[in-house]
Amino acid sequence: MSAATADPTTKPERAGRAVRGGLSRVGLFALLGVLLVVVVLLAAGQGAVHVPPSEVLGSVLHRLGIDVGPMPSHPRGEDALWQVRFPRVVLALLAGAALATAGAVMQGIFGNPLAEPGVVGVSSGAAVAAATVIAFNLSFAGNWTIALAAFVGGLITTLLVYAMSREGGRTEVVTLVLTGIALNAMTSAGLSFLLFMANTQAREEIVFWTLGSMNGARWPQVAVVLPLAVVGVAAAVLMARQLDLLALGDRAARHVGVDVERLRLRAIVVVAVLTAAAVAFCGIIAFVGLVVPHLIRLVVGPGHRVLVPASALLGAVLLVAADLWARTAIVNADLPIGMLTSLVGGPFFFWLIRRARRTAGGWA
Amino acid sequence: MSTRSPRGDTARDAVLSGHGISLSLNGTTILNDVDIEVRAGEVLSLVGPNGAGKSTLLAVLAGDHAPERGEVRLYDQPLSAHSARALARERGMLLQKQNLAFGFRVHEVVEMGRAPWHRTDRAAYDETVVEASMKRADVTHLRDRHFPTLSGGEQARTAFARLLAQETSILMLDEPTAALDIHHQEQVLEVAREAADSGSAVVVVLHDLSLAAAHSDRVCVLAQGQVRATGTPREVLTPELLSDVYRHPVQVLEHEGHLVVVPQRRRRKEEL
């Protein structure tokens, strides 16, 4: 077909739209970036040894070789920051980014707004595998053992969900959620069995781990989670354009040049990597992958090129903030963060269901 | 590549062809030894009763289904030799039903049609082509609307604009007029006609035989998975063949130079 000719009269109007769209996106990323810095500085300073944000910033800049800002005035401030707080904050940040990105990617490949690692059972699949490692005290891959097991468990469950909930190239919401219920039932049976089998110490470890917590985060764990999360988020950003096309449905996506099956398999591996990154040391933290992409879509629409990186940022912000809340809400108590996210995520889920019923007559 | 033949030429190049295509789904034969040629510079209509295999044939030609027997060739090469992306630069498809998982805006959906040209020289024209395609499909005024909030006809026109934005030399349309009013039916088929006149190959599934007669160079009548006739509308759309194929008496009338196909109806009582 011949190339179409431009209509010059619409040009200024178009440019205006492009600028507005561009600004709101830049604005969103700037806002999320600033939020992340603020929440990290706040979170790192809070705890038994209080360090004001300016001193946290000074300490970080100092380590980066920039002698600006005050150093922590508390005698144990520097140690508290670098040995306890930062590993924990960074782990929360990475887990939040990984979970939110995993949610955005899953919703993209299933073409379904309810797909989320926690809801469809991928998190608990990864959890069973990780709990097996804890219960039998396995360490075939050193520090990486739990992460590796979580990855394999997550991969298997994602493939299972995919195989069982797709019919004729699309995923019915009901089928997906019911598949999630079935999988969660199976994995909780597996977890019960492992709890029954494990000795007292491992049992305790598994229980706390399934509640979800950043407690006890140290740099070696961060060293495992960091590459997984970075690789996963980067891969997700790279497939964003194709995820957009997948929204057209499998056939139409193929007609515009997407190798649908290959994209799906790649995306499933990415989801498993991201879930493993989040679950490996932090346990099960549900609903982050559901809530965050929805919030981003409300603001900037469903385009994955913005949605995926923005979800990663907002997920990081939310989980760092949630972790701060978890360890400061009650004095001398470290609440399980998974409990908090579920406490907030559950009502959000209700709201989603109500909204879908109002606008589209429900998800049949 | 194809030569640009003027309309009315009988020996045009087949850009996309099926040879001896057979396919059965769940034990039911859908297509049985179908031969078909889609030629550059012409509009080919696929017509026939429900369940004749029209949409399936289109899906086979698009590469969605592999035929059990027979072969589909695109420019003298088997269809399967092309990657998804290479195919997307040659043929575009408008599906009968439009799906969209998320609430993208109309112009974003149309922009998706440019995906096969991403990271090529032609990506430079993305914006121009998208605007022009929206104009041709008459959806420019809907550009900022959310796709799921549109009416069926508006969704179909948006999908048509996406197809135009893809700038392929083969256009495949599966019942493009089903959800459209008379004005937009004519408009879509006019655009298809223009595309063919400028060298594209168009294959379109239609139910309305009068529309098929008015807008196609050739008509292929399918029934029970087999080709019953292929030829110009006047050759093919005869009362005898149509009455037989549709199992209903059909009349073919001449009106202002066009064929009009109407079913014979029993008169209502009050008219007797």
Side-chain angles (χ1 to χ4, degrees):
Chain A
M1 195 171 302
S2 60
T5 47
D7 182 351
T9 55
T10 62
K11 270 233 161 111
E13 203 187 324
R14 257 194 334 255
R17 258 195 299 268
V19 167
R20 235 180 302 140
L23 272 183
S24 71
R25 280 169 198 186
V26 171
L28 176 74
F29 282 116
L31 178 71
L32 289 173
V34 169
L35 263 178
L36 185 59
V37 170
V38 168
V39 79
V40 163
L41 291 180
L42 273 177
Q46 295 294 318
V49 177
H50 180 76
V51 184
S54 61
E55 295 180 4
V56 176
L57 185 64
S59 175
V60 172
L61 290 176
H62 187 75
R63 290 258 171 151
L64 291 173
I66 309 166
D67 275 323
V68 185
M71 289 292 287
S73 47
H74 194 284
R76 286 188 289 115
E78 185 77 357
D79 283 348
L81 278 184
W82 289 93
Q83 284 171 20
V84 183
R85 304 279 171 69
F86 279 135
R88 181 168 182 151
V89 169
V90 172
L91 200 64
L93 184 156
L94 292 173
L99 283 171
T101 309
V105 172
M106 267 199 119
Q107 286 151 29
I109 54 169
F110 282 96
N112 186 317
L114 283 197
E116 196 256 354
V119 173
V120 302
V122 173
S123 289
S124 37
V128 168
T132 310
V133 169
I134 299 174
F136 297 105
N137 209 5
L138 306 173
S139 60
F140 48 85
N143 263 342
W144 289 77
T145 314
I146 293 184
L148 193 68
F151 168 72
V152 173
L155 189 64
I156 291 171
T157 27
T158 319
L159 286 171
L160 263 176
V161 173
Y162 177 58
M164 296 198 300
S165 66
R166 284 191 80 73
E167 185 63 53
R170 60 184 297 249
T171 311
E172 303 278 340
V173 175
V174 173
T175 319
L176 182 71
V177 173
L178 293 181
T179 307
I181 290 176
L183 264 175
N184 276 322
M186 281 154 62
T187 50
S188 70
L191 268 180
S192 305
F193 176 71
L194 288 168
L195 283 172
F196 180 74
M197 290 292 291
N199 59 36
T200 318
Q201 192 205 335
R203 193 175 292 159
E204 204 147 280
E205 210 178 321
I206 293 172
V207 166
F208 274 99
W209 188 85
T210 50
L211 294 176
S213 175
M214 305 287 167
N215 198 4
R218 295 291 179 270
W219 288 118
Q221 283 101 312
V222 175
V224 171
V225 173
L226 181 75
L228 290 177
V230 168
V231 166
V233 171
V237 170
L238 285 179
M239 61 176 67
R241 185 181 281 272
Q242 292 200 305
L243 287 176
D244 279 355
L245 300 176
L246 220 46
L248 295 169
D250 283 11
R251 267 185 91 191
R254 212 174 290 120
H255 294 153
V256 290
V258 180
D259 189 338
V260 174
E261 289 311 310
R262 229 180 74 195
L263 173 66
R264 259 219 184 81
L265 281 177
R266 262 168 46 211
I268 284 174
V269 172
V270 166
V271 167
V273 166
L274 287 167
T275 309
V279 164
F281 300 110
C282 310
I284 299 174
I285 302 170
F287 291 110
V288 175
L290 184 74
V291 173
V292 171
H294 273 93
L295 291 179
I296 300 289
R297 270 194 214 98
L298 285 178
V299 179
V300 287
H304 289 84
R305 273 168 284 171
V306 177
L307 177 69
V308 170
S311 293
L313 279 174
L314 185 60
V317 169
L318 279 191
L319 216 54
V320 172
D323 180 51
L324 175 62
W325 186 28
R327 62 195 164 87
T328 54
I330 298 172
V331 181
N332 287 334
D334 203 338
L335 295 176
I337 191 170
M339 182 198 88
L340 290 181
T341 58
S342 294
L343 204 62
V344 177
F348 186 83
F349 206 79
F350 277 132
W351 176 74
L352 271 184
I353 295 167
R354 300 290 306 173
R355 202 175 78 117
R357 289 187 73 118
R358 260 205 325 275
T359 56
W363 288 294
Chain B
M1 267 294 288
S2 60
T3 51
R4 303 282 186 248
S5 321
R7 210 179 153 187
D9 189 344
T10 47
R12 280 184 267 227
D13 303 333
V15 290
L16 183 65
S17 54
H19 308 276
I21 304 282
S22 296
L23 181 70
S24 50
L25 297 173
N26 302 328
T28 315
T29 305
I30 310 288
L31 295 172
N32 187 4
D33 197 22
V34 171
D35 286 308
I36 189 163
E37 274 191 354
V38 183
R39 300 170 185 168
E42 73 169 25
V43 176
L44 170 66
S45 297
L46 299 178
V47 302
N50 293 335
K54 307 180 294 288
S55 294
T56 310
L57 178 57
L58 210 59
V60 168
L61 289 175
D64 294 344
H65 291 305
E68 281 163 2
R69 268 176 291 122
E71 189 187 40
V72 180
R73 296 181 78 83
L74 175 69
Y75 302 125
D76 297 328
Q77 275 189 325
L79 198 67
S80 51
H82 299 263
S83 71
R85 190 146 192 236
L87 274 181
R89 290 177 185 172
E90 298 295 343
R91 61 100 182 89
M93 170 91 139
L94 179 66
L95 292 172
Q96 225 176 92
K97 260 180 73 182
Q98 312 306 326
N99 283 322
L100 195 68
F102 298 103
F104 285 96
R105 290 175 196 277
V106 166
H107 71 94
E108 292 172 320
V109 174
V110 179
E111 280 158 20
M112 291 179 190
R114 297 300 296 164
W117 305 106
H118 179 54
R119 287 200 197 131
T120 65
D121 295 343
R122 288 172 73 163
Y125 306 107
D126 280 1
E127 202 181 330
T128 320
V129 175
V130 166
E131 293 298 329
S133 304
M134 288 197 293
K135 207 168 176 183
R136 287 167 82 191
D138 194 22
V139 292
T140 309
H141 60 289
L142 305 170
R143 59 168 298 142
D144 287 324
R145 290 270 303 276
H146 292 282
F147 184 87
T149 66
L150 301 179
S151 75
E154 289 168 335
Q155 291 189 346
R157 272 150 51 209
T158 303
F160 185 56
R162 176 169 62 74
L163 174 72
L164 294 176
Q166 204 172 336
E167 290 195 303
T168 52
S169 53
I170 303 169
L171 298 177
M172 311 177 83
L173 313 171
D174 195 354
E175 293 190 36
T177 56
L180 301 184
D181 58 42
I182 284 190
H183 167 66
H184 288 110
Q185 283 187 358
E186 288 297 320
Q187 196 181 19
V188 163
L189 291 173
E190 284 295 325
V191 173
R193 174 80 262 158
E194 285 165 22
D197 288 345
S198 61
S200 295
V202 180
V203 52
V204 49
V205 171
L206 287 174
H207 266 300
D208 187 325
L209 297 167
S210 304
L211 272 180
H215 294 280
S216 13
D217 297 298
R218 288 190 305 141
V219 177
C220 173
V221 181
L222 280 172
Q224 292 169 327
Q226 287 182 304
V227 176
R228 291 291 299 272
T230 308
T232 63
R234 275 172 206 284
E235 288 166 1
V236 171
L237 299 179
T238 61
E240 296 75 32
L241 178 67
L242 295 179
S243 300
D244 177 29
V245 163
Y246 286 94
R247 294 187 202 157
H248 188 100
V250 169
Q251 281 185 313
V252 181
L253 314 171
E254 181 94 24
H255 177 71
E256 293 183 354
H258 291 294
L259 295 181
V260 178
V261 181
V262 288
Q264 256 177 25
R265 297 177 182 118
R266 236 179 293 158
R267 285 199 190 164
R268 291 201 203 149
K269 268 187 187 152
E270 56 264 37
E271 289 173 10
L272 286 173

